[in-house]
Amino acid sequence: KVNGKTTDLDKQVKRGYFIFSGEFGALQWVFNPKTIPEFEWDHGEVSEGKRLCVFRYRTPEANTNFVFYSDGDKTPAGHHGLVLADCDTGMAVRFHLETDPAAVRRRGRDVPLGYELDVRYAPATIAGQEFLLPQVAEETSLFNTRLTKAEVRFQQYRKYDTNSTITFDDRQ
């Protein structure tokens, strides 16, 4: 326990509900060369004065690195979605993922699984350096007939650091 509360997620999250994570690593589901994603131009648009290039992508289940974890079962799922990038810099500004239909077997029947993730990125300065980081994420999951939704806002990024030095006297 930490501060009197369990750190075991299985005890914190009610069975049948989704544990959200992945906002920071989400782009690896799309841009990992091992998944052999298929990209195609979708359209261009202007948002907040920036020209955006919008690409549609698809990763089939056979190549996917996206996996649902449910009560010890692992269920891979293909996925598709959009990547929006600043046409001038190539920096991703938004990412949307939807899983293809998937299911896990429970009590002799297939239980539907689904997931959607929408992440918006922007530059954030940490310790004097600029990084492209998530600013807002919206995640929705389906487990059987239960939908779970989370909206996450990231702010006040910080670098935590400690410095120390050890010096020795020449005195004996």
Side-chain angles (χ1 to χ4, degrees), residues 23-87:
E23 301 88 6
F24 280 87
L27 290 174
Q28 61 90 21
W29 290 325
V30 178
F31 292 108
N32 184 332
K34 293 178 184 177
T35 64
I36 314 169
E38 302 161 1
F39 287 93
E40 67 181 45
W41 170 260
D42 193 77
H43 67 279
E45 62 183 62
V46 176
S47 177
E48 298 177 13
K50 291 183 182 180
R51 290 181 324 113
L52 299 181
C53 295
V54 182
F55 298 89
R56 186 166 298 284
Y57 84 91
R58 171 167 291 290
T59 300
E61 183 181 332
N63 303 337
T64 191
N65 58 351
F66 184 97
V67 178
F68 287 103
Y69 294 92
S70 173
D71 301 330
D73 292 324
K74 296 178 183 178
T75 306
H79 51 90
H80 58 278
L82 299 172
V83 176
L84 291 78
D86 181 314
C87 293

Side-chain angles (χ1 to χ4, degrees), residues 128-144:
Q129 287 189 283
E130 193 169 274
F131 298 91
L132 184 67
L133 295 170
Q135 302 298 309
V136 178
E138 185 175 291
E139 300 176 83
T140 306
S141 71
L142 168 68
F143 183 85
N144 197 15

